[in-house]
Amino acid sequence: MSPRTARPTSLAVRFLRIARLTLHLFRGLWIVFTRYGRLPLAGRHRELQRWSRQLLTILNVHVHRHDVPAAWPPRCMVVLNHVSWLDIFAVFAVLPGVFVAKSEIARWPLIGTLVASVGTLFIERSRGHARRMNQDIAARMNAGEIVCICPEGTTTDGRELKAFHTALLQPALDAQGVLQPLALRYTDGRGTQSIIPAYVGDQSLIASIWAIASARRLGVELHFAPALDTAGRT
């Protein structure tokens, strides 16, 4: 069977997962509105990691980590491919950081509010805003935060890698930081690559959530490559 035609889980399981996901999203809103902002940075990271892991568990998505750095270097930018809206939660389940995302995500119901509330930086489609964004990213890196970017600027089904928008890498050079490559790969939970989580084309967010909730089991592999120092590079 292909990843798209594999036998789905029952309707009862799908509706149960979506109900639990909805409750979990509202719980996340309650956390950010009541106490998230009052926590120290390390406390916010722990809360975000715990919440993200719970979201993946609800959808039966299992995280597999490979070659995770023993320690995160200062002024670190994580550079990863972009497949799904699940990417952000898969990464947060493993490392503390802040994402750079398209401004459209901020308008998503519930999820948009949540990712905005945890410090996500949103890119507007204008040259002037891009310059300000690069300054904000470099400032976050200099302040000790790990910044995560998807330089393809769009999603794929995970079977190809599109050209990078190199302007997104400039803040790492400005901060004289380190680039940490990360490759995401979604599987059927048994090692075979799956395109079910891919959020591509004209697919709606609701349709994507339904497809993921319909899968019997999914895995997401996070493969970390050796870090790259930007010193002396352009």
Side-chain angles (χ1 to χ4, degrees):
M1 291 184 180
S2 71
R4 289 293 191 190
T5 59
R7 188 164 60 92
T9 191
S10 67
L11 282 174
V13 170
R14 282 180 252 183
F15 282 120
L16 177 61
R17 287 177 179 175
I18 291 175
R20 292 182 63 201
L21 175 64
T22 303
L23 290 174
H24 190 59
L25 292 173
F26 277 111
R27 179 175 176 270
L29 290 175
W30 178 82
I31 291 172
V32 299
F33 289 142
T34 59
R35 59 189 176 88
Y36 187 82
R38 298 197 301 271
L39 295 172
L41 182 60
R44 294 199 296 271
H45 287 160
R46 286 192 298 270
E47 191 72 62
L48 186 55
Q49 182 180 65
R50 181 166 50 247
W51 189 91
S52 296
R53 288 176 174 175
Q54 291 169 346
L55 180 145
L56 296 172
T57 298
I58 288 170
L59 294 173
N60 203 27
V61 179
H62 299 260
V63 179
H64 306 278
R65 300 173 289 179
H66 302 272
D67 301 316
V68 180
W72 301 104
R75 299 184 301 282
C76 179
M77 174 181 281
V78 174
V79 182
L80 63 146
N81 58 312
H82 195 13
V83 180
S84 172
W85 57 271
L86 282 176
D87 297 352
I88 186 171
F89 304 112
V91 172
F92 282 158
V94 174
L95 65 89
V98 57
F99 258 84
V100 178
K102 294 187 292 186
S103 58
E104 291 89 337
I105 293 177
R107 296 189 286 272
W108 287 0
L110 294 183
I111 293 177
T113 302
L114 278 172
V115 296
S117 299
V118 297
T120 301
L121 297 169
F122 293 107
I123 299 176
E124 301 287 348
R125 299 181 187 275
S126 71
R127 181 172 297 179
H129 186 268
R131 287 196 298 269
R132 294 193 299 274
M133 176 60 67
N134 282 357
Q135 294 170 355
D136 290 343
I137 294 172
R140 293 284 191 100
M141 294 176 65
N142 283 319
E145 292 192 73
I146 300 173
V147 176
C148 305
I149 68 164
C150 301
E152 294 168 287
T154 187
T155 54
T156 71
D157 65 7
R159 296 181 293 189
E160 64 174 329
L161 192 65
K162 294 186 178 296
F164 285 6
H165 294 274
T166 53
L168 288 172
L169 303 175
Q170 186 63 43
L173 276 70
D174 295 340
Q176 298 184 7
V178 173
L179 295 177
Q180 173 59 68
L182 167 61
L184 291 183
R185 180 176 182 266
Y186 288 91
T187 72
D188 61 1
R190 296 183 298 273
T192 301
Q193 188 168 18
S194 174
I195 61 173
I196 288 175
Y199 184 46
V200 293
D202 296 328
Q203 185 182 37
S204 69
L205 179 60
I206 298 300
S208 176
I209 292 173
W210 181 257
I212 292 168
S214 300
R216 289 188 172 274
R217 178 186 174 96
L218 291 170
V220 55
E221 299 175 354
L222 284 75
H223 297 267
F224 290 88
L228 305 171
D229 195 338
T230 64
R233 297 175 183 262
T234 65

